[in-house]
Amino acid sequence: MANPRIETLVPNIFKDYKVTKPPVPVETLATKLGAKVRYSPFDGDISGMVYRDENRIIIGVNSLHHTNRQRFTIAHEIGHMLLHKGIEVHVDRTYRVNLRNDISSSAVDREEIEANRFAAKLLMPEHMLIADLKGQEIDFEDERKLEKLARRYSVSIQALTFRLTNLGAISPS
């Protein structure tokens, strides 16, 4: 079941921070929402994480990943930051951490599904996509149009295709 908070959080973020066109400035939004974004080369399959203690929130992003993936990671971590309390990890004191890795990308965990849904809505808002698609057809096989739209939103073709499919704007054959 979809988290209804996502349906109100994302539009409120756009309204509060005056986001009116793509690409959505996710790093700026993270900062305005109270997080510091830090880039570091992570080992293994970790894309990012949210670190929280009583004084700060840090979004860690794998600096070795493509910029589009980093943007999705930041949006995903903002989703965790706003929607989930996090997982307690004990290191001297109690901290809350959410990691983004290949398991979270497979979207089998409810919180990961919600963070992915939040990220897609934040990076590729339905109202902006509909405006950009008005008067034109997008074919799943037309990579040229998909690439152009993906560049406009600073997302991967894969993420864009998934989002358009979920919105019913294209149907994979």
Side-chain angles (χ1 to χ4, degrees):
M1 173 157 195
N3 186 328
R5 288 187 56 216
I6 296 170
E7 303 305 320
T8 56
L9 276 172
V10 174
N12 286 340
I13 289 169
F14 291 144
K15 183 179 156 207
D16 293 347
Y17 299 105
K18 298 173 180 40
V19 177
T20 59
K21 62 183 179 168
V24 172
V26 288
E27 188 170 349
T28 300
L29 289 177
T31 301
K32 288 181 176 183
L33 291 165
K36 292 183 185 200
V37 178
R38 298 289 180 255
Y39 296 85
S40 183
F42 295 151
D43 290 332
D45 63 354
I46 296 174
S47 299
M49 59 172 257
V50 175
Y51 166 91
R52 299 177 245 214
D53 66 21
E54 59 277 351
N55 299 314
R56 62 189 166 179
I57 301 171
I58 298 172
I59 293 176
V61 181
N62 192 334
S63 62
L64 301 175
H65 287 176
H66 187 279
T67 305
N68 290 343
R69 186 164 182 186
Q70 291 175 357
R71 286 175 43 75
F72 193 90
T73 295
I74 294 167
H76 177 96
E77 302 308 341
I78 292 171
H80 277 307
M81 185 177 92
L82 298 177
L83 297 169
H84 310 125
K85 291 185 179 184
I87 302 162
E88 290 187 2
V89 177
H90 298 279
V91 184
D92 293 335
R93 302 187 319 206
T94 299
Y95 299 98
R96 294 186 190 117
V97 178
N98 290 103
L99 295 176
R100 181 164 190 276
N101 56 23
D102 285 346
I103 293 167
S104 67
S105 297
S106 69
V108 293
D109 174 86
R110 181 187 59 81
E111 288 188 356
E112 294 305 322
I113 292 168
E114 290 175 354
N116 283 340
R117 184 171 287 129
F118 179 92
K121 286 181 176 288
L122 188 68
L123 291 172
M124 298 165 280
E126 182 175 2
H127 69 282
M128 290 182 196
L129 283 171
I130 288 171
D132 283 339
L133 293 174
K134 193 171 184 168
Q136 63 177 308
E137 282 187 29
I138 296 280
D139 184 341
F140 184 69
E141 310 248 335
D142 188 348
E143 287 222 10
R144 197 178 82 253
K145 281 186 181 176
L146 289 171
E147 284 174 1
K148 183 179 178 185
L149 202 53
R151 275 193 309 274
R152 177 164 166 73
Y153 287 82
S154 296
V155 297
S156 69
I157 290 177
Q158 180 184 8
L160 176 68
T161 302
F162 192 72
R163 179 74 168 136
L164 290 173
T165 302
N166 282 341
L167 292 173
I170 59 173
S171 57
S173 332

